[in-house]
Amino acid sequence: MRKYRLKISREDFDKLRHLVLADLPDEAGAFALAGIAEYGDQTDILVRRPISVPKHMMLVQNEYRLEVASQAINGLIALCEANQLGAVICHSHPSGLRYSHSDDYGEERIADTLRPFIPARAPIASLLFIPDDVTGRIWLANDSRSINLDEIIVIGHHIQKFELRKVPSSSAKLDLYDRQVRAFGKDGQTAISRAKVGIIGLGGTGSPIAEQLVRLGVLDLVLIDPDKFSPTNLSRVYGMYYGSVRKSRFFSEYKVNLVASNLRRINPNAQIRAITQNVVLSKTASLLLDRDVLFLCTDEHWGRSIVNQIAYQYMIPTINLGVRITSDAGVISHAIGTKDILRPDKPCLWCKQFLRSERIAAESMPIEERRNLLEQGYVEDIDSKTPAVISFTSSVASSAVSLFVHLLTNFMGDAGEISRINYDFLTGLSNRGITNIDKKCICQKVKGFGDLAPLPTLTTLAK
């Protein structure tokens, strides 16, 4: 059975809720533009932005019925056609979370009017609000019937889920996680166990994250790393063992496979998919689109830029990690660990000027071309090894996992409203970074488009 979800940012959800509940007990309405993401047996409607309906365009407005003017529908059609997006029709009831016959007729009429003007894959959905709850449905092409949404996901400093169709309890044995249940409760542990997680980069930060997630009870992981095993991995990568260094066959083994093998020993029931291809490839990036949370742990700016865009285009909360150490003659002069929360309503890595286009250009060159340009001084050296210390990388990884737990359980409350955290290993001091969203940034241009906009990925890599 296909599953239908709607994903919306906290800011947009609160705005829509305010618009449609403002005139209670009379009903009120609003619209939203929306993209779509389809994978496997699941469809996600992605809300891009709310659209208010002026008061004078609500022709009939009482506590039993709402009718909006044709000018409002025409305005919605124009926006959908101009942006090549679908729409979400929103309204309120003073009480009773059930669609009326009047609602059925009105929404079907709007859907039929919209359909010829939007892309074939674009969604038409609706949300019905009452003061303390919400439900929704989707109108499919070539079908006069609506289908109820299974879930509404509100993405803010934590992930709030409205389960409209109850799903079976997690298969995770809660007694294994008794100490965590005592901290987060059964609902919190169930949310952790149901989470689908992707980790990009299985090095000093990605590998401890993977191990901690499996020990926390996460049962579905996609691990992506194209690098092969190196003896230096032993000093900082979890799942590497001394025997690997002594056996030459391991030098042709992919690092991610060794990490995955270790995770399966911890929990044989966990579904671990180890991907040995680069995330800049379309086929690889597509494996992340059904994830609930992503961890971005690669050192490369090119891969980071792809995942950064996925976080906003597909509305997947992403935790970006980095550790930078500067040393000279064995003396550390600078050691900073950073964590960024990438999600709608928060600035992306381009907004923060973390990503650099010249670095991406260098990383995307064929190796020989890059070496030749490096010798001539035209590109920066991106192949030299940088310092790494397991206690530093593990510390940043552990705090990132705690942010993941907050996303699912809200244990931090409003204190979890985080954009960036910096930790100075030399002073032991931590501070929160603040950056404004660049309204012209790619994260704003692609938010919520999902499959209706291309990702800047490749089908193959140049040698």
Side-chain angles (χ1 to χ4, degrees), residues 13 31 46 52 73 85 143 181 200 252 369 397 428 460-461:
F13 181 81
F31 301 126
L46 310 170
S52 61
I73 307 301
L85 288 166
D143 194 337
V181 171
I200 303 90
S252 62
E369 179 182 348
T460 58
L461 283 174

Side-chain angles (χ1 to χ4, degrees), residues 260-323:
S261 178
N262 182 58
L263 300 178
R264 294 185 186 108
R265 292 173 59 193
I266 298 170
N267 188 349
N269 295 318
Q271 179 180 325
I272 312 291
R273 282 180 285 172
I275 312 300
T276 60
Q277 301 297 314
N278 198 307
V279 75
V280 304
L281 294 173
S282 303
K283 188 175 181 180
T284 306
S286 68
L287 299 175
L288 300 175
L289 306 183
D290 70 337
R291 303 290 89 185
D292 298 307
V293 179
L294 300 176
F295 287 90
L296 184 46
C297 307
T298 179
D299 293 331
E300 296 181 348
H301 282 224
W302 192 12
R304 283 185 194 269
S305 69
I306 300 296
V307 180
N308 179 78
Q309 184 161 329
I310 288 173
Y312 296 85
Q313 188 166 325
Y314 287 86
M315 301 181 72
I316 305 172
T318 298
I319 303 173
N320 174 68
L321 295 83
V323 177

Side-chain angles (χ1 to χ4, degrees), residues 177 210-218 221 263 266-267 270 272:
Y177 308 103
E211 179 155 335
Q212 290 184 45
L213 291 180
V214 171
R215 293 188 184 278
L216 275 170
V218 173
L221 280 170
L263 300 178
I266 298 170
N267 188 349
I272 312 291

Side-chain angles (χ1 to χ4, degrees), residues 332-403:
I332 295 176
S333 58
H334 183 88
I336 297 290
T338 61
K339 297 171 292 294
D340 299 279
I341 304 295
L342 311 177
R343 60 173 174 83
D345 306 334
K346 290 293 181 185
C348 78
L349 295 179
W350 287 109
C351 295
K352 298 178 181 185
Q353 299 183 5
F354 181 91
L355 294 172
R356 293 186 293 114
S357 56
E358 62 271 19
R359 171 79 183 232
I360 294 172
E363 291 174 357
S364 60
M365 290 178 184
I367 294 176
E368 285 304 317
E369 179 182 348
R370 187 169 70 229
R371 287 174 178 168
N372 290 336
L373 290 175
L374 176 62
E375 290 177 0
Q376 300 172 47
Y378 288 116
V379 297
E380 63 180 297
D381 183 5
I382 62 173
D383 298 314
S384 296
K385 302 299 181 182
T386 56
V389 180
I390 189 171
S391 60
F392 293 4
T393 53
S394 296
S395 174
V396 173
S398 294
S399 57
V401 172
S402 295
L403 293 179

Side-chain angles (χ1 to χ4, degrees), residues 132-192:
D132 58 355
D133 210 347
V134 63
T135 191
R137 58 188 181 181
I138 183 171
W139 294 86
L140 300 177
N142 304 317
D143 194 337
S144 61
R145 299 169 301 171
S146 62
I147 296 178
N148 292 334
L149 293 173
D150 295 288
E151 196 170 46
I152 297 170
I153 302 169
V154 182
I155 301 169
H157 69 75
H158 75 287
I159 301 171
Q160 182 182 12
K161 293 187 176 184
F162 295 88
E163 289 188 357
L164 309 183
R165 180 174 64 87
K166 294 299 180 181
V167 298
S169 298
S170 170
S171 59
K173 296 181 179 179
L174 293 181
D175 58 329
L176 290 176
Y177 308 103
D178 174 70
R179 297 298 184 92
Q180 292 165 202
V181 171
R182 292 172 185 269
F184 309 122
K186 292 182 178 179
D187 289 345
Q189 184 60 45
T190 297
I192 291 170

Side-chain angles (χ1 to χ4, degrees), residues 31 53 56-60 67-74 109:
F31 301 126
V53 176
H56 69 274
M57 290 190 182
M58 297 185 199
L59 301 181
V60 178
E67 181 180 342
V68 299
S70 58
Q71 295 97 312
I73 307 301
N74 291 338
R109 181 174 61 88

Side-chain angles (χ1 to χ4, degrees), residues 39 42 80 92 103 112 135 239 242 263 266 271 283 332 414:
Y39 23 73
Q42 184 166 294
C80 289
S92 62
D103 296 335
D112 289 343
T135 191
Y242 183 69
L263 300 178
I266 298 170
Q271 179 180 325
K283 188 175 181 180
I332 295 176
D414 291 344

